[in-house]
Amino acid sequence: MGKLLSKISRELFIPLDDLVFLAHSAPYRYKVYEVRKKQPHKKRTIAQPAREVKRLQYWIISELLKHFPIHPAATAYRQGKSILNNAKPHAKKRFLLKLDFKDFFHSIKVDDFRKFLEQEGSQTVDASDFDYLCRILFWNDKRTGDLILSIGAPSSPILSNILMHEFDVKVSEYCKSAAVTYTRYADDMTFSTNKPEILRSVVTNVEQICTELPYPRLSLNTEKTVHASKATSRRVTGLVLSNEGDVSIGHKRKREIRAAVHHFKIGKLNVIETAKLGGTLAFVKSVEPAYLRALKKHYGEAVINRLLKQNTNQ
């Protein structure tokens, strides 16, 4: 038995025999369900690990995964980072390209983690621990029998960023040489520049990098490729880039928020709607604080602060 499994046993007070059985069966201890995507007739498979598996995954995040490097271009699933950090670097650029990976999490498999550890030369994980570690972190897809990252496991986001480090390095190096700005939010990649036509070659280069890297084996979802400029609407991970170089939540969302605050003020929101609005205002505070100040001026500081407090209490 390796050092890692023994350490988990000691620190989580799980008898070693029980831990071995739990680790071995972990890929099958998931609740699987589907949710609808925005695209018609398409669904996303969510696989949530059982509580006992989640406990192991959280320990591995804290004691092992957080020590591996994540590239600065990766802005998702990181403490102190948000969609604002993903959008802001592109705000003052004239031309925008958005690319998307096909089946991002489910394309990352246990062999990718194996190759990463071999390339990293990590001494943290013994060979005798490796299979148990993989079974704790990866979900068994019954359709294929593969161990893959699940959408729903707490360890999947950070592990995806770790395994994408080499990709982010290669893409960032290319973009720097081409005077292109690059950020990635999970499977959403954004590129921007002030040079006309240069973004056309980015797609080809990203596809080539995907092909050449030993892991993970990813491909682009060409249906979601978007080219935009200041002559058109520019959105990055849900935020609007204005022609003045600012990042905004957008006029449509502002109208919806104003209507919701008005309904709250006259007592027409229920508890769930009020909590949701409080969360939205907290988001506005982090992305566009000037609009929050405008709401306070129009509806009164006491009203907005009550809503923000509702979000804190959730």
Side-chain angles (χ1 to χ4, degrees), residues 51-106:
R51 184 182 302 175
E52 61 274 15
V53 177
K54 274 187 184 179
R55 187 181 177 213
L56 300 182
Q57 291 173 347
Y58 278 122
W59 187 94
I60 291 168
I61 292 171
S62 175
E63 299 299 323
L64 176 64
L65 298 184
K66 73 175 185 181
H67 299 296
F68 289 118
I70 294 173
H71 196 274
T75 58
Y77 320 124
R78 302 182 68 181
Q79 190 171 2
K81 299 278 187 180
S82 70
I83 57 173
L84 178 62
N85 299 100
N86 190 60
K88 202 169 183 178
H90 308 284
K92 298 185 185 301
K93 302 298 175 65
R94 293 171 60 199
F95 305 102
L96 189 74
L97 167 67
K98 295 193 291 185
L99 300 179
D100 191 272
F101 287 119
K102 187 184 295 182
D103 297 325
F104 179 56
F105 272 18
H106 292 172

Side-chain angles (χ1 to χ4, degrees), residues 261-295:
V261 173
H262 173 71
H263 287 145
F264 169 75
K265 191 172 182 179
I266 62 176
K268 287 192 174 182
L269 291 191
N270 61 35
V271 174
I272 295 174
E273 291 167 335
T274 299
K276 184 179 178 181
L277 179 55
T280 300
L281 291 181
F283 168 72
V284 170
K285 184 179 180 180
S286 67
V287 173
E288 196 173 352
Y291 183 59
L292 190 72
R293 291 194 294 270
L295 288 172

Side-chain angles (χ1 to χ4, degrees), residues 91-237:
K92 298 185 185 301
K93 302 298 175 65
R94 293 171 60 199
F95 305 102
L96 189 74
L97 167 67
K98 295 193 291 185
L99 300 179
D100 191 272
F101 287 119
K102 187 184 295 182
D103 297 325
F104 179 56
F105 272 18
H106 292 172
S107 295
I108 299 176
K109 302 181 179 181
V110 72
D111 279 346
D112 299 322
F113 189 39
R114 186 189 307 273
K115 290 173 184 175
F116 165 78
L117 289 176
E118 289 172 354
Q119 183 174 302
E120 192 76 11
S122 174
Q123 303 299 313
T124 311
V125 182
D126 293 342
S128 54
D129 277 323
F130 178 78
D131 286 337
Y132 291 115
L133 179 63
C134 289
R135 298 183 77 83
I136 293 169
L137 295 174
F138 289 82
W139 162 60
N140 179 71
D141 183 0
K142 290 182 180 179
R143 295 168 298 181
T144 64
D146 292 331
L147 293 181
I148 63 177
L149 280 192
S150 78
I151 303 171
S155 51
S156 292
I158 185 173
L159 192 50
S160 71
N161 273 341
I162 290 167
L163 297 180
M164 287 295 288
H165 183 266
E166 188 66 17
F167 173 88
D168 290 332
V169 167
K170 296 291 185 186
V171 173
S172 294
E173 287 174 350
Y174 159 72
C175 287
K176 185 177 180 180
S177 69
V180 171
T181 298
Y182 162 65
T183 62
R184 181 178 61 81
Y185 196 90
D187 57 347
D188 294 322
M189 293 165 283
T190 306
F191 305 83
S192 62
T193 185
N194 287 322
K195 293 183 177 182
E197 299 302 322
I198 198 168
L199 293 179
R200 300 287 175 187
S201 62
V202 168
V203 180
T204 304
N205 278 277
V206 170
E207 286 178 331
Q208 185 175 345
I209 289 169
C210 285
T211 302
E212 292 175 351
L213 283 177
Y215 66 88
R217 307 302 292 175
L218 299 171
S219 58
L220 298 181
N221 183 350
T222 54
E223 293 179 2
K224 290 190 174 183
T225 298
V226 175
H227 286 271
S229 70
K230 284 193 173 183
T232 60
S233 173
R234 296 176 303 145
R235 288 180 175 270
V236 176
T237 44

Side-chain angles (χ1 to χ4, degrees), residues 294-312:
L295 288 172
K296 287 182 176 181
K297 185 175 180 181
H298 186 81
Y299 294 102
E301 193 164 340
V303 170
I304 302 303
N305 286 341
R306 276 166 56 202
L307 282 164
L308 289 170
K309 188 176 180 182
Q310 283 288 328
N311 175 65
T312 304

